[in-house]
Amino acid sequence: ACSTACPRWAPAGPRRVRDASRIGSSGDGIEGVPQEDKAVVHFWHLFGSTPHCRAALTSAGRDSPYRNAPLLESRVRALAKVFDTETSGLDVPRVLTKEPELLLWEANDVVRRVVELKRIAPELGGRALTQAPGLLLCDPEDVAAARQEMEFARGTEEAREIIAVAPLELLKAVEMLSSDEVGAEAWRGY
């Protein structure tokens, strides 16, 4: 057994201290990227690693918007300018990669849909829409009907609370009400 007197266990010299101001994030891949490009870099990280984005890309034809990187980037940039994650809570890259069909929409159409949903359900903040971006693909009339049904079944205050903290419940309600298999009466027991 070696003791501290053993030369190979002796300290190599004074320890170097890391400059904390130069330490970046632990692997998000966007340190050093200009602020206006961060949403695009984040989008490409998610787009390449999300199975349903890969499926959309591989099943798309040569002229598909999914294969047009400049078009996709322009849509991400346009939406990121309107919905800054820090102030709005809406994570544009995550929304677009959770529901790649939204990449086929013009940015103005996505903005209009967000505004429509906020009119129908003011509790839907940016974080809530990031959790349930499928609501953007739903017909606004269906969302309004599902909200009404939730209010009828649970009461207005409880429905507001549910929509704010669990927006997927509103999406489920839309899906249940819009399918002929499950009517409003069945949902009320939910």
Side-chain angles (χ1 to χ4, degrees):
C2 282
S3 68
T4 54
C6 183
R8 63 180 180 191
W9 292 102
R15 293 184 71 160
R16 291 188 299 167
V17 178
R18 287 179 137 182
D19 180 5
S21 66
R22 293 181 26 170
I23 297 174
S25 66
S26 62
D28 63 4
I30 61 173
E31 67 271 357
V33 173
Q35 186 64 35
E36 64 272 7
D37 293 336
K38 287 186 177 187
V40 173
V41 171
H42 184 51
F43 166 77
W44 285 120
H45 281 261
L46 293 171
F47 190 80
S49 63
T50 307
H52 49 275
C53 287
R54 282 196 307 269
L57 180 64
T58 56
S59 66
R62 290 180 83 160
D63 297 332
S64 168
Y66 292 123
R67 295 187 178 272
N68 186 340
L71 175 66
L72 296 180
E73 287 185 12
S74 71
R75 289 183 177 164
V76 171
R77 285 180 201 283
L79 289 169
K81 282 181 184 175
V82 175
F83 302 110
D84 174 59
T85 305
E86 296 299 315
T87 55
S88 73
L90 186 75
D91 185 342
V92 169
R94 192 163 307 280
V95 166
L96 294 176
T97 54
K98 279 184 170 182
E99 292 295 346
E101 186 180 328
L102 291 169
L103 290 165
L104 304 176
W105 293 21
E106 293 293 329
N108 288 338
D109 294 333
V110 176
V111 171
R112 274 189 214 97
R113 186 56 59 89
V114 170
V115 171
E116 283 180 291
L117 287 177
K118 286 291 287 179
R119 186 181 43 76
I120 294 166
E123 309 80 17
L124 284 175
R127 282 182 175 64
L129 281 174
T130 300
Q131 288 177 20
L135 286 167
L136 294 167
L137 298 172
C138 296
D139 183 313
E141 290 178 8
D142 292 343
V143 176
R147 181 200 173 90
Q148 268 187 325
E149 199 58 43
M150 286 179 82
E151 287 179 351
F152 179 78
R154 310 245 181 171
T156 303
E157 285 306 311
E158 188 176 344
R160 284 183 184 159
E161 221 173 277
I162 290 170
I163 292 168
V165 298
L168 286 171
E169 296 302 317
L170 179 58
L171 182 58
K172 286 180 195 173
V174 171
E175 291 168 350
M176 291 175 83
L177 285 173
S178 63
S179 75
D180 289 334
E181 299 168 15
V182 180
E185 294 301 318
W187 186 80
R188 286 185 185 143
Y190 162 72

mmCIF file of all heavy atoms in Angstrom, residues 71-102:
data_model
loop_
_atom_site.group_PDB
_atom_site.id
_atom_site.type_symbol
_atom_site.label_atom_id
_atom_site.label_comp_id
_atom_site.label_asym_id
_atom_site.label_seq_id
_atom_site.Cartn_x
_atom_site.Cartn_y
_atom_site.Cartn_z
ATOM 1 N N LEU A 71 -37.248 27.495 -45.990
ATOM 2 C CA LEU A 71 -38.650 27.778 -45.695
ATOM 3 C C LEU A 71 -38.969 27.471 -44.233
ATOM 4 O O LEU A 71 -39.585 28.277 -43.532
ATOM 5 C CB LEU A 71 -39.568 26.964 -46.608
ATOM 6 C CG LEU A 71 -41.069 27.082 -46.323
ATOM 7 C CD1 LEU A 71 -41.561 28.491 -46.619
ATOM 8 C CD2 LEU A 71 -41.843 26.060 -47.119
ATOM 9 N N LEU A 72 -38.532 26.301 -43.760
ATOM 10 C CA LEU A 72 -38.786 25.928 -42.365
ATOM 11 C C LEU A 72 -38.146 26.935 -41.420
ATOM 12 O O LEU A 72 -38.763 27.365 -40.442
ATOM 13 C CB LEU A 72 -38.262 24.518 -42.086
ATOM 14 C CG LEU A 72 -38.922 23.374 -42.851
ATOM 15 C CD1 LEU A 72 -38.299 22.043 -42.454
ATOM 16 C CD2 LEU A 72 -40.422 23.361 -42.624
ATOM 17 N N GLU A 73 -36.902 27.305 -41.700
ATOM 18 C CA GLU A 73 -36.211 28.275 -40.844
ATOM 19 C C GLU A 73 -36.917 29.625 -40.841
ATOM 20 O O GLU A 73 -37.021 30.271 -39.795
ATOM 21 C CB GLU A 73 -34.758 28.425 -41.280
ATOM 22 C CG GLU A 73 -33.917 27.229 -40.916
ATOM 23 C CD GLU A 73 -32.442 27.407 -41.244
ATOM 24 O OE1 GLU A 73 -32.007 28.539 -41.551
ATOM 25 O OE2 GLU A 73 -31.719 26.392 -41.172
ATOM 26 N N SER A 74 -37.418 30.044 -42.006
ATOM 27 C CA SER A 74 -38.111 31.339 -42.049
ATOM 28 C C SER A 74 -39.382 31.296 -41.207
ATOM 29 O O SER A 74 -39.725 32.278 -40.543
ATOM 30 C CB SER A 74 -38.421 31.755 -43.489
ATOM 31 O OG SER A 74 -39.442 30.960 -44.041
ATOM 32 N N ARG A 75 -40.068 30.162 -41.202
ATOM 33 C CA ARG A 75 -41.282 30.044 -40.385
ATOM 34 C C ARG A 75 -40.950 30.022 -38.902
ATOM 35 O O ARG A 75 -41.643 30.634 -38.089
ATOM 36 C CB ARG A 75 -42.079 28.813 -40.804
ATOM 37 C CG ARG A 75 -42.705 29.032 -42.170
ATOM 38 C CD ARG A 75 -43.563 27.929 -42.647
ATOM 39 N NE ARG A 75 -44.144 28.332 -43.936
ATOM 40 C CZ ARG A 75 -44.692 27.502 -44.777
ATOM 41 N NH1 ARG A 75 -44.771 26.212 -44.487
ATOM 42 N NH2 ARG A 75 -45.188 27.942 -45.912
ATOM 43 N N VAL A 76 -39.879 29.322 -38.547
ATOM 44 C CA VAL A 76 -39.456 29.294 -37.138
ATOM 45 C C VAL A 76 -39.072 30.704 -36.697
ATOM 46 O O VAL A 76 -39.489 31.173 -35.636
ATOM 47 C CB VAL A 76 -38.284 28.312 -36.928
ATOM 48 C CG1 VAL A 76 -37.707 28.448 -35.528
ATOM 49 C CG2 VAL A 76 -38.726 26.881 -37.193
ATOM 50 N N ARG A 77 -38.279 31.402 -37.502
ATOM 51 C CA ARG A 77 -37.850 32.767 -37.161
ATOM 52 C C ARG A 77 -39.048 33.707 -37.021
ATOM 53 O O ARG A 77 -39.119 34.494 -36.067
ATOM 54 C CB ARG A 77 -36.908 33.322 -38.218
ATOM 55 C CG ARG A 77 -35.530 32.780 -38.175
ATOM 56 C CD ARG A 77 -34.665 33.415 -39.275
ATOM 57 N NE ARG A 77 -33.518 32.612 -39.573
ATOM 58 C CZ ARG A 77 -32.431 32.545 -38.844
ATOM 59 N NH1 ARG A 77 -32.343 33.259 -37.745
ATOM 60 N NH2 ARG A 77 -31.423 31.767 -39.187
ATOM 61 N N ALA A 78 -39.976 33.637 -37.971
ATOM 62 C CA ALA A 78 -41.138 34.521 -37.934
ATOM 63 C C ALA A 78 -41.964 34.301 -36.664
ATOM 64 O O ALA A 78 -42.369 35.268 -36.000
ATOM 65 C CB ALA A 78 -42.005 34.304 -39.177
ATOM 66 N N LEU A 79 -42.192 33.048 -36.318
ATOM 67 C CA LEU A 79 -42.976 32.766 -35.113
ATOM 68 C C LEU A 79 -42.203 33.094 -33.842
ATOM 69 O O LEU A 79 -42.781 33.556 -32.861
ATOM 70 C CB LEU A 79 -43.434 31.305 -35.115
ATOM 71 C CG LEU A 79 -44.505 30.980 -36.146
ATOM 72 C CD1 LEU A 79 -44.712 29.477 -36.258
ATOM 73 C CD2 LEU A 79 -45.809 31.680 -35.810
ATOM 74 N N ALA A 80 -40.890 32.869 -33.853
ATOM 75 C CA ALA A 80 -40.074 33.172 -32.674
ATOM 76 C C ALA A 80 -40.017 34.682 -32.418
ATOM 77 O O ALA A 80 -39.872 35.109 -31.272
ATOM 78 C CB ALA A 80 -38.669 32.604 -32.836
ATOM 79 N N LYS A 81 -40.139 35.481 -33.478
ATOM 80 C CA LYS A 81 -40.177 36.942 -33.288
ATOM 81 C C LYS A 81 -41.472 37.364 -32.612
ATOM 82 O O LYS A 81 -41.491 38.273 -31.792
ATOM 83 C CB LYS A 81 -40.046 37.663 -34.634
ATOM 84 C CG LYS A 81 -38.647 37.703 -35.146
ATOM 85 C CD LYS A 81 -38.582 38.452 -36.471
ATOM 86 C CE LYS A 81 -37.176 38.399 -37.028
ATOM 87 N NZ LYS A 81 -37.112 39.017 -38.358
ATOM 88 N N VAL A 82 -42.565 36.702 -32.963
ATOM 89 C CA VAL A 82 -43.861 37.035 -32.372
ATOM 90 C C VAL A 82 -43.981 36.455 -30.964
ATOM 91 O O VAL A 82 -44.452 37.123 -30.047
ATOM 92 C CB VAL A 82 -45.020 36.504 -33.259
ATOM 93 C CG1 VAL A 82 -46.369 36.736 -32.596
ATOM 94 C CG2 VAL A 82 -44.978 37.151 -34.632
ATOM 95 N N PHE A 83 -43.555 35.200 -30.798
ATOM 96 C CA PHE A 83 -43.703 34.499 -29.522
ATOM 97 C C PHE A 83 -42.336 34.213 -28.922
ATOM 98 O O PHE A 83 -41.825 33.096 -29.026
ATOM 99 C CB PHE A 83 -44.469 33.179 -29.709
ATOM 100 C CG PHE A 83 -45.831 33.349 -30.299
ATOM 101 C CD1 PHE A 83 -46.105 32.924 -31.592
ATOM 102 C CD2 PHE A 83 -46.844 33.943 -29.566
ATOM 103 C CE1 PHE A 83 -47.358 33.069 -32.140
ATOM 104 C CE2 PHE A 83 -48.105 34.097 -30.109
ATOM 105 C CZ PHE A 83 -48.366 33.662 -31.402
ATOM 106 N N ASP A 84 -41.749 35.210 -28.302
ATOM 107 C CA ASP A 84 -40.485 35.008 -27.604
ATOM 108 C C ASP A 84 -40.748 34.100 -26.405
ATOM 109 O O ASP A 84 -41.665 34.351 -25.617
ATOM 110 C CB ASP A 84 -39.932 36.362 -27.132
ATOM 111 C CG ASP A 84 -38.703 36.211 -26.291
ATOM 112 O OD1 ASP A 84 -37.706 35.649 -26.788
ATOM 113 O OD2 ASP A 84 -38.743 36.630 -25.109
ATOM 114 N N THR A 85 -39.962 33.045 -26.287
ATOM 115 C CA THR A 85 -40.196 32.059 -25.229
ATOM 116 C C THR A 85 -40.156 32.694 -23.841
ATOM 117 O O THR A 85 -40.967 32.357 -22.981
ATOM 118 C CB THR A 85 -39.161 30.918 -25.312
ATOM 119 O OG1 THR A 85 -39.213 30.357 -26.617
ATOM 120 C CG2 THR A 85 -39.453 29.841 -24.296
ATOM 121 N N GLU A 86 -39.218 33.613 -23.635
ATOM 122 C CA GLU A 86 -39.071 34.227 -22.309
ATOM 123 C C GLU A 86 -40.307 35.025 -21.903
ATOM 124 O O GLU A 86 -40.721 34.989 -20.747
ATOM 125 C CB GLU A 86 -37.836 35.134 -22.282
ATOM 126 C CG GLU A 86 -36.534 34.405 -22.488
ATOM 127 C CD GLU A 86 -36.262 33.362 -21.414
ATOM 128 O OE1 GLU A 86 -36.458 33.664 -20.219
ATOM 129 O OE2 GLU A 86 -35.867 32.246 -21.781
ATOM 130 N N THR A 87 -40.901 35.754 -22.838
ATOM 131 C CA THR A 87 -42.023 36.616 -22.471
ATOM 132 C C THR A 87 -43.381 35.952 -22.678
ATOM 133 O O THR A 87 -44.302 36.187 -21.906
ATOM 134 C CB THR A 87 -41.981 37.937 -23.281
ATOM 135 O OG1 THR A 87 -41.940 37.630 -24.665
ATOM 136 C CG2 THR A 87 -40.760 38.764 -22.904
ATOM 137 N N SER A 88 -43.512 35.122 -23.711
ATOM 138 C CA SER A 88 -44.821 34.517 -23.995
ATOM 139 C C SER A 88 -44.990 33.137 -23.372
ATOM 140 O O SER A 88 -46.110 32.675 -23.187
ATOM 141 C CB SER A 88 -45.028 34.390 -25.501
ATOM 142 O OG SER A 88 -44.226 33.365 -26.040
ATOM 143 N N GLY A 89 -43.869 32.462 -23.097
ATOM 144 C CA GLY A 89 -43.937 31.108 -22.574
ATOM 145 C C GLY A 89 -44.115 30.063 -23.668
ATOM 146 O O GLY A 89 -44.036 28.869 -23.413
ATOM 147 N N LEU A 90 -44.360 30.496 -24.911
ATOM 148 C CA LEU A 90 -44.563 29.570 -26.025
ATOM 149 C C LEU A 90 -43.208 29.196 -26.612
ATOM 150 O O LEU A 90 -42.473 30.053 -27.086
ATOM 151 C CB LEU A 90 -45.436 30.214 -27.102
ATOM 152 C CG LEU A 90 -45.845 29.313 -28.253
ATOM 153 C CD1 LEU A 90 -46.927 28.342 -27.792
ATOM 154 C CD2 LEU A 90 -46.362 30.130 -29.411
ATOM 155 N N ASP A 91 -42.885 27.917 -26.547
ATOM 156 C CA ASP A 91 -41.626 27.403 -27.092
ATOM 157 C C ASP A 91 -41.889 27.007 -28.546
ATOM 158 O O ASP A 91 -42.330 25.899 -28.829
ATOM 159 C CB ASP A 91 -41.157 26.205 -26.265
ATOM 160 C CG ASP A 91 -39.803 25.675 -26.665
ATOM 161 O OD1 ASP A 91 -39.334 25.978 -27.787
ATOM 162 O OD2 ASP A 91 -39.207 24.939 -25.863
ATOM 163 N N VAL A 92 -41.630 27.942 -29.468
ATOM 164 C CA VAL A 92 -41.943 27.748 -30.884
ATOM 165 C C VAL A 92 -41.305 26.474 -31.448
ATOM 166 O O VAL A 92 -42.002 25.664 -32.073
ATOM 167 C CB VAL A 92 -41.563 29.002 -31.705
ATOM 168 C CG1 VAL A 92 -41.637 28.732 -33.196
ATOM 169 C CG2 VAL A 92 -42.454 30.168 -31.321
ATOM 170 N N PRO A 93 -39.993 26.246 -31.262
ATOM 171 C CA PRO A 93 -39.412 25.018 -31.812
ATOM 172 C C PRO A 93 -40.083 23.743 -31.290
ATOM 173 O O PRO A 93 -40.334 22.810 -32.045
ATOM 174 C CB PRO A 93 -37.947 25.085 -31.380
ATOM 175 C CG PRO A 93 -37.678 26.531 -31.187
ATOM 176 C CD PRO A 93 -38.959 27.097 -30.671
ATOM 177 N N ARG A 94 -40.411 23.726 -30.019
ATOM 178 C CA ARG A 94 -41.046 22.533 -29.443
ATOM 179 C C ARG A 94 -42.459 22.344 -29.990
ATOM 180 O O ARG A 94 -42.871 21.229 -30.310
ATOM 181 C CB ARG A 94 -41.068 22.630 -27.917
ATOM 182 C CG ARG A 94 -41.438 21.333 -27.250
ATOM 183 C CD ARG A 94 -41.069 21.282 -25.790
ATOM 184 N NE ARG A 94 -39.699 21.595 -25.481
ATOM 185 C CZ ARG A 94 -38.669 20.757 -25.591
ATOM 186 N NH1 ARG A 94 -38.871 19.551 -26.053
ATOM 187 N NH2 ARG A 94 -37.450 21.124 -25.270
ATOM 188 N N VAL A 95 -43.208 23.425 -30.131
ATOM 189 C CA VAL A 95 -44.564 23.347 -30.679
ATOM 190 C C VAL A 95 -44.520 22.807 -32.108
ATOM 191 O O VAL A 95 -45.281 21.914 -32.477
ATOM 192 C CB VAL A 95 -45.254 24.731 -30.636
ATOM 193 C CG1 VAL A 95 -46.503 24.765 -31.499
ATOM 194 C CG2 VAL A 95 -45.596 25.105 -29.196
ATOM 195 N N LEU A 96 -43.610 23.347 -32.913
ATOM 196 C CA LEU A 96 -43.534 22.947 -34.320
ATOM 197 C C LEU A 96 -43.043 21.515 -34.500
ATOM 198 O O LEU A 96 -43.394 20.863 -35.478
ATOM 199 C CB LEU A 96 -42.647 23.915 -35.099
ATOM 200 C CG LEU A 96 -43.181 25.341 -35.213
ATOM 201 C CD1 LEU A 96 -42.172 26.234 -35.916
ATOM 202 C CD2 LEU A 96 -44.520 25.388 -35.921
ATOM 203 N N THR A 97 -42.244 21.031 -33.571
ATOM 204 C CA THR A 97 -41.765 19.655 -33.703
ATOM 205 C C THR A 97 -42.704 18.651 -33.044
ATOM 206 O O THR A 97 -42.701 17.480 -33.411
ATOM 207 C CB THR A 97 -40.335 19.496 -33.144
ATOM 208 O OG1 THR A 97 -40.284 19.984 -31.802
ATOM 209 C CG2 THR A 97 -39.335 20.235 -34.010
ATOM 210 N N LYS A 98 -43.516 19.093 -32.087
ATOM 211 C CA LYS A 98 -44.530 18.196 -31.528
ATOM 212 C C LYS A 98 -45.654 17.979 -32.528
ATOM 213 O O LYS A 98 -46.257 16.914 -32.574
ATOM 214 C CB LYS A 98 -45.121 18.771 -30.229
ATOM 215 C CG LYS A 98 -44.288 18.540 -29.003
ATOM 216 C CD LYS A 98 -45.032 19.078 -27.795
ATOM 217 C CE LYS A 98 -44.379 18.682 -26.498
ATOM 218 N NZ LYS A 98 -45.153 19.193 -25.341
ATOM 219 N N GLU A 99 -45.946 19.017 -33.305
ATOM 220 C CA GLU A 99 -47.002 18.945 -34.331
ATOM 221 C C GLU A 99 -46.417 19.438 -35.652
ATOM 222 O O GLU A 99 -46.619 20.581 -36.057
ATOM 223 C CB GLU A 99 -48.213 19.802 -33.934
ATOM 224 C CG GLU A 99 -48.980 19.288 -32.753
ATOM 225 C CD GLU A 99 -49.666 17.950 -32.989
ATOM 226 O OE1 GLU A 99 -49.777 17.513 -34.155
ATOM 227 O OE2 GLU A 99 -50.089 17.336 -31.993
ATOM 228 N N PRO A 100 -45.651 18.581 -36.337
ATOM 229 C CA PRO A 100 -44.979 19.010 -37.567
ATOM 230 C C PRO A 100 -45.922 19.502 -38.665
ATOM 231 O O PRO A 100 -45.500 20.233 -39.555
ATOM 232 C CB PRO A 100 -44.199 17.785 -38.028
ATOM 233 C CG PRO A 100 -44.451 16.711 -37.063
ATOM 234 C CD PRO A 100 -45.352 17.209 -35.989
ATOM 235 N N GLU A 101 -47.193 19.148 -38.593
ATOM 236 C CA GLU A 101 -48.151 19.650 -39.575
ATOM 237 C C GLU A 101 -48.203 21.180 -39.567
ATOM 238 O O GLU A 101 -48.476 21.815 -40.586
ATOM 239 C CB GLU A 101 -49.534 19.063 -39.308
ATOM 240 C CG GLU A 101 -50.558 19.425 -40.366
ATOM 241 C CD GLU A 101 -51.924 18.831 -40.080
ATOM 242 O OE1 GLU A 101 -51.996 17.736 -39.505
ATOM 243 O OE2 GLU A 101 -52.915 19.477 -40.443
ATOM 244 N N LEU A 102 -47.925 21.776 -38.408
ATOM 245 C CA LEU A 102 -47.923 23.236 -38.307
ATOM 246 C C LEU A 102 -46.824 23.861 -39.171
ATOM 247 O O LEU A 102 -46.923 25.028 -39.542
ATOM 248 C CB LEU A 102 -47.759 23.675 -36.845
ATOM 249 C CG LEU A 102 -48.942 23.382 -35.928
ATOM 250 C CD1 LEU A 102 -48.567 23.618 -34.477
ATOM 251 C CD2 LEU A 102 -50.149 24.216 -36.326
#
